[in-house]
Amino acid sequence: MNTTRRKFINSIGMLAASSAFPISTFAFSKTSKLKVALVGTGIRGTTFWGKRLVDEYGKILEFVGLSDINSSRLKYAKNFIGADCPLFTDFEEMVKMTKPDLIIVTTKDSTHHQYIIKGLEMGCDVLTEKPLTTDETKCQAIIDAEKKSEKNLIVGFNYRWSPYATKIKELLANKTIGDLVSVDFHWYLNTYHGASYFRRWHGDMESSGSLWVHKSTHHFDLLNWWINSEPDQVFAYGDLEYYGKNGPQRGSNCRSCNHNDTCEFYWDITKDETSKKLYVDHEHEDGYIRDNCLFRENIDIYDKMSAQVKYADNTILNYSLTTYSPFEGWRVAFNGTKGRIEASQDIPYHSISTVDEAEKHALEMAQNNKEELNHESIIVHKLWEKHEIVKVPIEKSGHGGGDKRLHDKIFINPKTTDPYGRTAGVRDGAMSILIGIGARRSIESGKAINIGDLTDLTPKKVRS
C-alpha cells in the first residue's frame, strides 16, 4: 500500500468516526490519485458526486468506474461527468476489476444497503448519499457490515455544512440560551419541489421509505446535531390527503395526459433539457418514468406528517413536514433555560425575494462557487433582556453552501480539526433515519416507538 492510500484510509476512518482529532492529509500526487467508483447515475450522482468532483478535485482523484442498471444512461453520465473510465451494469464486476479506494453510492434509497454492504465486504471505504437506508432491518445489516469490515462508511449530510446551520450550532454549543428544553421545527415544501417527489419513485413506500426517511432524514440529522443528543422515543401522525388517489383527475404521465390544460401541476419534461437527457432519453431500458402523474392510485407515502420526539437528554422536539405549501422554506425555535433562539430561511413574508418558487430548487441543487452577499437573521432572546439579531452571510447554491464545504472537508482539508463535528458516520446516518422509521411504525401502530427497539444501538444522552 503506498503512502497516499494509507493516509486516505486513516483520514476516511477518522472522518467516519466524526473525530475531533487532526486528520492526516491525503497528500495525493500526480501519479497516485484517489481511485473512486460511483454506483447510481441519477441527478445527484452525475452532478454533485460526479461532475463536481472531476471539475474541482481532478488533480487528486479519478473515477475508475461508473455503474448503473441502465446502460444507456451510463453512457450519457460518463460524458456529462467528464470521466475517462469503464462502465459497468454489474456492481461487483466493477469493484473486482477497478479496485477503488472509495465507492460512492447514489442509487435508489431502498438499494443503498446492497451496495454499502457489498462495498465494505469487498474491502472498500464507502460514502453514501442520504438516507442511509429505508428500514430498520437494512439499517442493522449495514451496522453489522461495518463492524465486521476493516473499512468505514460516511453519510453525505450536507445541510450541516451551510454557514447558517453552523451558526445555530455555535450558539447552542456556547449555551447562549442555557440548557436546551424543547425545539419546534417545521419544513415547508412548495408545490414545485414537494410535488416532484410524488412524480418519482419516492411516491412508493417500498422504494423511498416515505418522505419521513428520504426527506426528513436531512432535518432529523440537523436536529440531532444541533440538540447534541440522540432520539429516544417518537410518536407520529401522518396521512395521504392531497396527492395520489385524492386528485381530481389523473393520467399515465404528464406527456400523454388529457388534462394538461386544466391541471395546475402539468409539467412538460421534454422542455427541461437536463431531465430529458438524464431520464427521458433512457427510460426505454429500465422503464423509469420521471414525469409520472402526481395523482396515480398507487402512491402510498404520506403527504402530511407531524411527530413528537423525546431525546435521551429529555429535550422534546415538535416536527412537521408540509408537502404542498405555496412557498419553500423552514422555521426552527429552540427554548432553553436562559432564553430562546428563532431561525428561519426562505420565508417570503420576512423579505422580498426576486426568485420564484420553481427557481428555488434549481438554485439549491446548483453546483457552482459563486458567493452571494446576502444575509439572513437569527433571533437570540435571553430571559429578561431585549432580543438580539444575529446576521449570518448566506449562499443559495449547493444546499446553502453546504455542498462545497462538505467536499472540501473530505478531499482538501481532512487535516483541519472541525470544532462543530459536521462529518457524519454510520451512527449519525442510523439515528436520523430511525426517527423517520419510528414515525412510520408509530402511525401504523398508533403507539409511541422506542428508538432503541429498532436496532442494537442504544440512544446516548450526549452524541459522541
Side-chain angles (χ1 to χ4, degrees):
M1 183 185 296
N2 62 34
T3 302
T4 296
R5 300 265 165 73
R6 185 180 297 112
K7 288 182 177 180
F8 169 73
I9 288 172
N10 290 338
S11 299
I12 210 83
M14 297 179 78
L15 281 167
S18 300
S19 174
F21 297 102
I23 299 172
S24 300
T25 181
F26 293 166
F28 297 124
S29 70
K30 291 182 179 180
T31 58
S32 183
K33 295 182 178 181
L34 174 67
K35 295 165 63 178
V36 179
L38 173 75
V39 56
T41 55
I43 186 68
R44 192 67 172 165
T46 55
T47 57
F48 181 58
W49 294 112
K51 181 174 173 55
R52 191 174 194 278
L53 294 192
V54 171
D55 291 348
E56 300 295 327
Y57 310 101
K59 293 182 179 180
I60 59 175
L61 62 80
E62 63 179 337
F63 280 95
V64 294
L66 301 177
S67 178
D68 198 297
I69 59 174
N70 190 314
S71 61
S72 176
R73 186 164 57 243
L74 262 177
K75 295 174 184 176
Y76 167 77
K78 178 179 180 179
N79 182 64
F80 179 86
I81 292 171
D84 182 17
C85 64
L87 306 177
F88 301 86
T89 54
D90 185 307
F91 173 75
E92 290 189 44
E93 181 186 4
M94 175 180 72
V95 178
K96 288 177 182 177
M97 288 187 62
T98 65
K99 295 179 171 56
D101 300 307
L102 177 68
I103 294 170
I104 300 176
V105 179
T106 57
T107 60
K108 184 167 68 172
D109 296 353
S110 58
T111 64
H112 282 185
H113 70 294
Q114 299 173 18
Y115 303 107
I116 292 170
I117 293 171
K118 183 55 67 174
L120 292 169
E121 289 176 346
M122 295 181 76
C124 301
D125 289 306
V126 180
L127 191 156
T128 184
E129 255 295 340
K130 63 81 195 167
L132 179 64
T133 187
T134 54
D135 66 40
E136 61 269 48
T137 303
K138 295 173 182 176
C139 182
Q140 185 65 61
I142 292 172
I143 294 168
D144 293 341
E146 193 195 40
K147 286 179 181 177
K148 291 178 183 177
S149 76
E150 296 182 355
K151 297 300 177 178
N152 301 283
L153 173 65
I154 290 177
V155 184
F157 284 122
N158 44 8
Y159 278 11
R160 295 182 179 197
W161 292 86
S162 76
Y164 193 77
T166 300
K167 187 62 178 180
I168 293 172
K169 175 68 173 179
E170 178 186 318
L171 291 169
L172 292 170
N174 290 340
K175 298 287 186 178
T176 305
I177 56 171
D179 294 326
L180 201 55
V181 175
S182 64
V183 183
D184 298 303
F185 187 98
H186 307 287
W187 197 287
Y188 314 100
L189 290 169
N190 62 25
T191 48
Y192 173 79
H193 186 195
S196 73
Y197 291 114
F198 294 83
R199 300 183 196 277
R200 300 180 268 167
W201 53 260
H202 305 74
D204 173 22
M205 185 78 74
E206 185 65 27
S207 296
S208 68
S210 80
L211 293 180
W212 275 120
V213 174
H214 177 81
K215 184 62 180 176
S216 297
T217 188
H218 263 319
H219 314 153
F220 294 139
D221 177 68
L222 268 179
L223 289 157
N224 294 347
W225 177 61
W226 280 334
I227 294 170
N228 201 36
S229 183
E230 292 183 338
D232 182 62
Q233 191 175 71
V234 57
F235 184 85
Y237 291 102
D239 214 333
L240 177 65
E241 294 183 343
Y242 190 82
Y243 298 110
K245 62 182 182 297
N246 303 289
Q249 55 200 14
R250 58 188 50 82
S252 58
N253 57 44
C254 277
R255 275 169 285 171
S256 61
C257 186
N258 295 324
H259 305 290
N260 55 13
D261 291 332
T262 57
C263 181
E264 293 176 317
F265 289 97
Y266 173 69
W267 173 50
D268 187 350
I269 191 173
T270 63
K271 293 183 179 179
D272 183 326
E273 184 178 2
T274 298
S275 295
K276 183 180 182 302
K277 289 182 177 180
L278 186 58
Y279 297 112
V280 177
D281 292 351
H282 317 293
E283 62 188 24
H284 60 279
E285 278 208 26
D286 57 13
Y288 175 46
I289 307 300
R290 181 61 180 76
D291 62 334
N292 270 313
C293 182
L294 296 163
F295 304 118
R296 62 192 186 280
E297 297 278 356
N298 61 344
I299 290 175
D300 63 351
I301 66 170
Y302 308 106
D303 58 21
K304 74 170 186 180
M305 288 151 279
S306 178
Q308 189 168 62
V309 183
K310 182 174 76 70
Y311 279 77
D313 70 351
N314 211 37
T315 298
I316 300 298
L317 163 68
N318 293 293
Y319 171 88
S320 71
L321 176 63
T322 302
T323 60
Y324 43 92
S325 170
F327 66 89
E328 179 115 349
W330 56 273
R331 291 186 174 100
V332 66
F334 301 89
N335 298 299
T337 55
K338 295 182 180 180
R340 176 178 170 91
I341 291 173
E342 292 190 14
S344 64
Q345 285 200 293
D346 297 320
I347 305 300
Y349 321 120
H350 294 178
S351 61
I352 298 174
S353 175
T354 58
V355 178
D356 66 30
E357 293 300 319
E359 291 177 304
K360 277 187 180 179
H361 186 54
L363 280 173
E364 182 182 15
M365 297 297 288
Q367 301 301 327
N368 58 55
N369 292 318
K370 294 180 180 178
E371 298 288 340
E372 298 182 28
L373 302 178
N374 296 324
H375 292 77
E376 290 212 17
S377 301
I378 297 173
I379 308 298
V380 178
H381 198 167
K382 296 182 180 180
L383 298 179
W384 324 116
E385 298 180 17
K386 291 184 178 180
H387 71 273
E388 174 189 357
I389 299 176
V390 179
K391 293 285 189 179
V392 184
I394 63 162
E395 302 167 33
K396 290 297 182 184
S397 66
H399 292 91
D403 281 354
K404 65 182 181 182
R405 287 170 173 82
L406 171 60
H407 273 176
D408 283 350
K409 177 60 177 174
I410 294 173
F411 299 112
I412 297 294
N413 303 312
K415 187 177 180 179
T416 305
T417 300
D418 179 16
Y420 305 110
R422 286 171 290 191
T423 307
V426 65
R427 189 178 183 99
D428 298 292
M431 283 298 168
S432 69
I433 62 169
L434 290 175
I435 300 177
I437 293 167
R440 287 202 330 252
R441 303 298 178 230
S442 176
I443 294 168
E444 293 165 1
S445 66
K447 299 177 181 178
I449 301 298
N450 294 319
I451 299 298
D453 292 341
L454 298 174
T455 67
D456 65 5
L457 298 179
T458 300
K460 295 180 179 180
K461 186 174 181 179
V462 179
R463 287 177 61 254
S464 57

